[in-house]
């Protein structure tokens, strides 16, 4: 019978500073991605509004 939990070993080959640095890098990348998505959403909304205005004018 398999246990219902998994034991994760303590990986002592990676110092705490390295894992914190990796976490900081991931958080920075996520923030940049979020900003990029916001810019894209704004661009799409503006393009749709412009197209909508063009359709009304026609």
């Amino acid at each position: 019978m398999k246990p219902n939990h998994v034991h994760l070993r303590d990986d002592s080959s990676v110092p705490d500073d390295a894992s914190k640095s990796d976490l900081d890098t991931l958080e920075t990348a996520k923030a940049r991605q979020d900003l990029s998505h916001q810019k894209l959403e704004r661009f799409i909304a503006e393009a749709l509004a412009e197209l909508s205005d063009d359709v009304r004018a026609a």
Side-chain angles (χ1 to χ4, degrees):
M1 186 171 192
K2 293 184 180 182
N4 61 355
H5 66 280
V6 175
H7 177 73
L8 299 177
R9 65 182 175 91
D10 181 23
D11 191 0
S12 58
S13 65
V14 179
D16 287 339
D17 291 341
S19 61
K20 287 180 184 176
S21 175
D22 290 344
L23 181 59
D24 290 342
T25 301
L26 287 173
E27 288 174 343
T28 301
K30 172 128 178 45
R32 287 181 180 163
Q33 183 182 38
D34 290 346
L35 180 61
S36 178
H37 286 169
Q38 289 172 0
K39 288 179 179 179
L40 179 60
E41 288 172 359
R42 190 176 320 122
F43 172 79
I44 291 171
E46 290 172 359
L48 289 173
E50 185 177 326
L51 288 172
S52 174
D53 290 344
D54 289 345
V55 169
R56 286 185 198 149

